[in-house]
Amino acid sequence: NSLFVVFAIQTTLRISAAFQANNSVRFTNLPLQDACKFQPWVYSPGAVDTDGDSLSFKLVPSMGAGCVSFEEGFYVYPDEIDAIGGSPDPENNISIDPLTGTIIWDSPQRNGEYNIAFVVEEWRDGIKLGQVMRDMQIVVEDCVNQPPEIGLIPDTCVEAGQSLNFEITATDPEGSNLEIAAFGLPFEVENEAVLIQEGQMPPVQAVFSWNTECANVRLQPYQVTFQVTDNGPGVPLVDIVSMEITVVAPAPENLLAETVGSSIQLSWDPSPCPEAIGYKIYRRIGPYGFEPGFCETGVPEYTGFTL
């Protein structure tokens, strides 16, 4: 009788004068999904936080009317149901990555319609600002399709004002046509990123391009999730990979240091980013020869420099 059970979604915001404006997490991927029996199912909600807050994810039991938890034993997780509705199968496990939100169910053992819920928590300076709970449905069916596979993409970094371009590749064991999609905040900003795919016959390639700007600089990296979907027989299956993009401000140009008596006079060109609010200056007695790596910010302690 689950058809007649009310499901719940919930948003909690912390209102405090200690924080600036806060926006709830939004989801850019659909909550209605299909899966194949005995085949791994993978999903990403495409969670986006426009404030750049840190996000954490966890599975929770679904709730009913009024966002009230069901009585103990009423709701069970999908991996607690085996092929005949008896004891859980050790080959049946559902989990969520606490950092990326990617959910893996490996693997469904019984046809049916399943509901799962997860919570996304927002954190800023170590303080929880709020959370959003999403309830979603997974329809498990018989099918002979096998999931596609998308290549791993390493985390990367880019200096604001520069263009970031890289290739994504996906394959399919059955040679089915493939479509690559992407979710994340870079596709939501004013200077939005683009993903262009060439052809659909595997192996397929798509190119991610983002012309970054000063407004994209922030402490937290941008999380981008790439999803490949096949059009194989029966239920379309997907594979997902997530990566992070860090956008840093340009380094100061034309730094000069001139001795004036027992002092040193420093000068440099104004930052090309008007959002810059100041600089941190480090010093030490004697040279060290520190050369920052690509996109490296700040000065490591081991160099002996002090603020």
Side-chain angles (χ1 to χ4, degrees):
N1 292 322
S2 62
L3 287 175
F4 305 102
V5 176
V6 176
F7 74 93
I9 56 176
Q10 184 183 61
T11 299
T12 304
L13 289 174
R14 179 173 180 172
I15 310 299
S16 171
F19 301 106
Q20 297 178 348
N22 182 45
N23 294 279
S24 295
V25 174
R26 294 187 295 105
F27 302 111
T28 55
N29 201 1
L30 297 174
L32 302 177
Q33 297 287 318
D34 296 317
C36 283
K37 187 168 67 174
F38 304 136
Q39 291 287 351
W41 173 83
V42 61
Y43 171 79
S44 171
V48 169
D49 185 278
T50 56
D51 303 308
D53 296 323
S54 297
L55 303 180
S56 61
F57 302 80
K58 61 182 178 182
L59 291 172
V60 295
S62 292
M63 297 190 298
C67 290
V68 175
S69 299
F70 295 120
E71 295 180 4
E72 185 176 355
F74 180 83
Y75 174 82
V76 294
Y77 288 102
D79 57 357
E80 297 176 5
I81 300 174
D82 75 353
I84 58 174
S87 301
D89 192 309
E91 300 297 324
N92 186 7
N93 180 63
I94 191 167
S95 62
I96 188 169
D97 188 306
L99 300 179
T100 67
T102 298
I103 304 173
I104 298 177
W105 184 6
D106 187 11
S107 297
Q109 302 291 304
R110 187 181 183 187
N111 291 357
E113 298 179 4
Y114 297 81
N115 274 67
I116 61 172
F118 58 89
V119 164
V120 186
E121 298 174 328
E122 302 172 75
W123 300 85
R124 188 182 303 173
D125 298 325
I127 299 175
K128 182 179 173 181
L129 296 183
Q131 66 180 39
V132 176
M133 188 194 83
R134 170 181 259 194
D135 196 312
M136 60 177 293
Q137 186 179 70
I138 311 164
V139 179
V140 177
E141 302 176 5
D142 286 317
C143 52
V144 296
N145 193 14
Q146 297 183 55
E149 183 174 345
I150 192 168
L152 293 178
I153 307 170
D155 298 338
T156 189
C157 178
V158 62
E159 186 179 283
Q162 302 295 317
S163 295
L164 178 64
N165 301 277
F166 56 84
E167 191 175 83
I168 303 97
T169 303
T171 58
D172 186 84
E174 297 163 329
S176 302
N177 283 1
L178 301 175
E179 181 178 353
I180 299 176
F183 314 98
L185 188 55
F187 299 95
E188 308 288 325
V189 295
E190 185 174 345
N191 58 313
E192 63 185 35
V194 295
L195 185 70
I196 300 177
Q197 178 176 332
E198 298 181 1
Q200 292 188 321
M201 289 291 294
V204 299
Q205 286 80 35
V207 176
F208 172 92
S209 300
W210 189 17
N211 297 320
T212 62
E213 299 176 352
C214 289
N216 304 133
V217 176
R218 69 177 196 175
L219 290 176
Q220 291 294 327
Y222 292 82
Q223 185 182 108
V224 180
T225 299
F226 296 94
Q227 175 178 292
V228 59
T229 306
D230 68 14
N231 71 340
V235 175
L237 294 179
V238 308
D239 189 24
I240 285 174
V241 64
S242 295
M243 52 91 67
E244 292 184 341
I245 301 172
T246 301
V247 182
V248 301
E253 296 288 345
N254 298 318
L255 173 65
L256 295 177
E258 299 177 307
T259 57
V260 181
S262 60
S263 302
I264 298 177
Q265 181 72 37
L266 301 178
S267 63
W268 58 85
D269 292 346
S271 172
C273 291
E275 295 87 353
I277 61 173
Y279 299 88
K280 292 182 178 179
I281 299 176
Y282 295 79
R283 67 178 182 179
R284 62 165 281 159
I285 302 297
Y288 183 83
F290 171 63
E291 291 290 340
F294 176 67
C295 274
E296 184 176 5
T297 60
V299 182
E301 284 190 22
Y302 66 80
T303 61
F305 283 88
T306 56
L307 181 64

